[in-house]
């Protein structure tokens, strides 16, 4: 593997900031360019403007900076086939091509893949016509979950307690196009109960390795209340994924998935995010697949991975994953996301943010929706704005370290959950 590589990181959220930091830490990396990046990334690396979904524009940028590795952070460029364009031109790319990205960009495609390969998942049916979808509700037990099949930034999922709610969700998606083209097709799914966990599976050349299991907090409100968001905090390792659960995941989910990819002729080179629901008997089912790192899960997983993640990503990009024995740091990591007031609804942008100068050992502030104005003042520029990450000797220690810094961030709109990790810290509550 070449030393002093140039890495191009595509994207500009908290996940990409974590990827950028991980590249800066790696002995193998000489230079990192981020595109488009954000206000925090711009303080640490070169940032270039780019339309990340425009394959030709990204290709031109990769050529201009002489990228030895391109890491594609978000799903939209993957769904747009940017990885294919780069790979065809000879670049090493971490991220699957357009066809494999359909595992995320079409929930209907994903569910068919799971069914065809015998992977356990919630019972489901997909529809494009209102009348057929509504008629199908006669056969459902409630609650049901109504989902826009296409990409909807984690927001196109509605849990419907009764028939009336389900009918209106169906109409909102198929008729009123509340989620635009993403809701042209919908999936209606059995409601699963249990604990969720996120598993990041690095895949290259028919082999895979798993990072530690993690747990996201999707709802905006404490105690898992209110609407779904992109993720308000996460921690790892998640104890709900015991060795016994992990053995079932490998046997019933990952083995048939790898075989399914092979049969479909999909040369997957990237990370497959397996969203799991684990019931009270420890039986895992797939809630969803994503074709990129979870955000904010990535921000806690990379600092815990003692094996250089850049090396793993190069191996995946080359389609020959050779490092299969991963080492992880002792302890645990947590991220608390700071969002704008009003998120995931409408919220203000352009609010000034003051960050603490000196950070304690093991703590980082990752930027998601920020920008720098002409005077160098940091401003809010999105819904999820910052994330405070901490690595500690255990989850309690990580939480204490993270929240101590959260409290020092000065910003009028600062909105966050105080209870990240509570389920593991206080299992009975
Ligand atoms: P998805 O984007 O499909 O993962 O859905 C987003 C979130 O909605 C998940 O993380 C779950 O919290 C919830 N969800 C999705 N599908 C189901 C289901 N079948 N049963 C229960 N909750 C679900
Ligand atoms: N944290 C959930 C996601 O990235 O989809």
């Amino acid at each position: 593997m070449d030393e002093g590589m140039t890495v191009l990181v595509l994207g500009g959220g908290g996940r990409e900031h974590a990827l950028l930091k991980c590249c800066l830490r790696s002995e193998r990396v000489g230079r990192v360019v981020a595109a488009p990046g954000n206000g925090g990334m711009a303080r640490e690396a070169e940032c270039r403007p780019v339309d990340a979904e425009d394959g030709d524009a990204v290709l031109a940028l990769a050529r201009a900076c002489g990228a030895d590795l391109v890491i594609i952070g978000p799903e939209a460029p993957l769904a747009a086939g940017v990885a294919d364009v780069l790979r065809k031109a000879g670049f090493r790319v971490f991220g699957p091509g357009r066809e494999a990205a359909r595992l995320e960009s079409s929930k209907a495609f994903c569910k068919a893949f799971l069914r065809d390969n015998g992977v356990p998942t919630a019972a489901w049916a997909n529809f494009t016509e209102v009348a057929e979808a509504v008629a199908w509700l006669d056969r459902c037990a409630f609650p049901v979950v109504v989902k826009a099949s296409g990409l909807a930034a984690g927001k196109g999922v509605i849990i419907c307690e009764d028939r009336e709610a389900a009918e209106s969700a169906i109409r909102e998606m198929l008729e009123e196009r509340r989620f635009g083209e993403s809701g042209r097709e919908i999936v209606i799914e059995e409601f699963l109960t249990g604990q969720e966990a996120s598993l990041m599976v690095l895949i290259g050349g028919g082999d895979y390795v798993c990072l530690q299991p993690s747990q996201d907090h999707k709802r905006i409100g404490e105690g898992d209340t209110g609407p779904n968001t992109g993720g308000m905090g996460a921690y790892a390792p998640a104890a709900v994924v015991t060795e016994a659960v992990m053995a079932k995941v490998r046997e019933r989910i990952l083995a048939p998935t790898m075989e399914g990819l092979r049969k479909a002729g999909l040369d997957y080179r990237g990370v497959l995010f397996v969203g799991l629901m684990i019931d009270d008997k420890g039986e895992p089912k797939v809630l969803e697949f994503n074709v990129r790192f979870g955000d904010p899960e990535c921000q806690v997983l990379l600092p815990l991975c003692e094996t250089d993640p850049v090396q793993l990503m190069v191996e995946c990009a080359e389609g020959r994953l050779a490092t299969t024995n991963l080492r992880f740091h002792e302890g645990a990591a947590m991220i608390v996301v700071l969002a704008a007031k009003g998120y995931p609804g409408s919220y203000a942008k352009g609010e000034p943010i003051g960050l603490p100068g000196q950070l304690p050992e093991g703590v980082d502030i990752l930027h998601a929706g920020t920008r720098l104005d002409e005077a160098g003042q940091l401003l809010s520029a999105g819904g999820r704005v910052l994330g405070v990450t901490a690595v500690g000797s255990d989850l309690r220690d990580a939480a204490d370290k993270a929240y101590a810094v959260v409290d020092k961030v000065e910003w009028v709109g600062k909105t966050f959950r105080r209870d990240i990790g509570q389920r593991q810290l206080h299992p009975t509550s």
Side-chain angles (χ1 to χ4, degrees):
M1 192 175 317
D2 31 353
E3 307 293 315
M5 293 191 299
T6 294
V7 182
L8 173 60
V9 176
L10 206 59
R15 165 184 51 212
E16 288 76 26
H17 196 177
L19 287 163
L20 180 149
K21 279 186 181 287
C22 159
C23 291
L24 292 173
R25 275 195 303 269
S26 171
E27 287 171 3
R28 291 171 179 78
V29 177
R31 175 177 171 227
V32 192
V33 180
N38 62 39
M41 293 163 83
R43 288 174 167 172
E44 293 169 40
E46 296 166 56
C47 287
R48 304 279 183 84
V50 77
D51 174 356
E53 290 165 51
D54 178 343
D56 292 334
V58 176
L59 177 59
L61 179 60
R63 284 195 170 124
C65 57
D68 300 297
L69 172 68
V70 183
I71 302 173
I72 302 183
E75 60 276 17
L78 295 166
V82 171
D84 304 287
V85 174
L86 291 168
R87 236 172 237 132
K88 213 168 144 210
F91 284 92
R92 285 196 292 207
V93 186
F94 182 80
R98 186 206 305 262
E99 182 61 17
R102 291 178 71 204
L103 289 171
E104 174 165 3
S105 66
S106 166
K107 288 189 191 291
F109 177 84
C110 180
K111 293 297 271 190
F113 178 92
L114 296 172
R115 176 198 60 210
D116 293 348
N117 293 290
V119 179
T121 187
W124 60 286
N126 54 314
F127 302 94
T128 51
E129 301 297 330
V130 171
E132 287 173 22
V134 168
W136 199 75
L137 294 176
D138 291 341
R139 305 180 20 196
C140 295
F142 290 88
V144 294
V145 187
V146 179
K147 301 182 175 186
S149 181
L151 296 178
K155 291 168 200 148
V157 173
I158 305 181
I159 295 167
C160 305
E161 296 298 332
D162 52 32
R163 194 189 162 102
E164 198 184 339
E167 264 199 59
S168 78
I170 290 168
R171 287 185 199 287
E172 274 178 32
M173 290 190 195
L174 288 177
E175 262 172 21
E176 297 155 30
R177 289 287 155 86
R178 176 165 158 211
F179 301 102
E181 288 302 297
S182 296
R184 170 189 286 283
E185 183 171 25
I186 62 169
V187 168
I188 304 181
E189 218 175 75
E190 167 198 13
F191 178 76
L192 299 177
T193 54
Q195 277 217 58
E196 284 183 52
S198 307
L199 189 66
M200 304 301 142
V201 185
L202 303 178
I203 301 178
D207 290 310
Y208 74 85
V209 287
C210 299
L211 297 184
Q212 289 164 302
S214 57
Q215 199 167 52
D216 185 13
H217 296 60
K218 292 216 162 122
R219 305 291 196 95
I220 185 71
E222 287 170 10
D224 295 324
T225 52
N228 263 336
T229 69
M232 292 301 292
Y235 64 90
V240 60
V241 185
T242 59
E243 284 292 325
V245 171
M246 198 56 212
K248 292 178 200 169
V249 169
R250 287 182 186 278
E251 182 192 327
R252 300 180 199 162
I253 296 173
L254 301 182
T257 294
M258 294 299 292
E259 178 60 13
L261 291 172
R262 195 191 60 75
K263 276 194 307 208
L266 296 172
D267 179 15
Y268 199 104
R269 301 180 180 198
V271 55
L272 183 71
F273 168 151
V274 181
L276 294 168
M277 183 72 91
I278 300 154
D279 73 11
D280 54 8
K281 297 191 187 69
E283 302 296 324
K285 285 188 175 160
V286 172
L287 269 184
E288 63 168 342
F289 278 161
N290 296 313
V291 297
R292 36 85 194 167
F293 281 112
D295 182 343
E297 290 93 328
C298 181
Q299 291 91 309
V300 291
L301 293 171
L302 295 180
L304 284 174
C305 189
E306 193 182 338
T307 306
D308 184 0
V310 175
Q311 174 174 334
L312 298 171
M313 288 190 270
V314 168
E315 291 178 6
C316 289
E318 290 181 343
R320 44 160 206 93
L321 185 61
T323 309
T324 47
N325 219 344
L326 301 196
R327 290 184 316 276
F328 300 104
H329 292 293
E330 296 282 314
M334 180 178 290
I335 177 167
V336 181
V337 170
L338 307 187
K341 195 173 169 145
Y343 173 80
S346 58
Y347 50 82
K349 290 185 189 172
E351 294 175 339
I353 300 171
L355 297 181
Q358 200 64 24
L359 295 176
E361 175 75 23
V363 180
D364 253 328
I365 298 181
L366 301 177
H367 293 236
T370 66
R371 67 182 178 85
L372 296 173
D373 71 8
E374 302 73 41
Q377 167 67 49
L378 190 68
L379 301 174
S380 67
R384 289 191 295 173
V385 173
L386 296 168
V388 178
T389 63
V391 177
S393 55
D394 58 19
L395 191 59
R396 176 79 269 156
D397 185 42
D400 291 346
K401 282 180 166 167
Y403 280 108
V405 170
V406 165
D407 289 332
K408 289 197 183 123
V409 174
E410 291 172 8
W411 163 30
V412 289
K414 182 171 84 173
T415 304
F416 62 96
R417 282 178 60 166
R418 274 268 166 218
D419 66 343
I420 305 304
Q422 284 305 309
R423 194 175 274 152
Q424 186 157 316
L425 288 167
H426 302 285
T428 48
S429 68

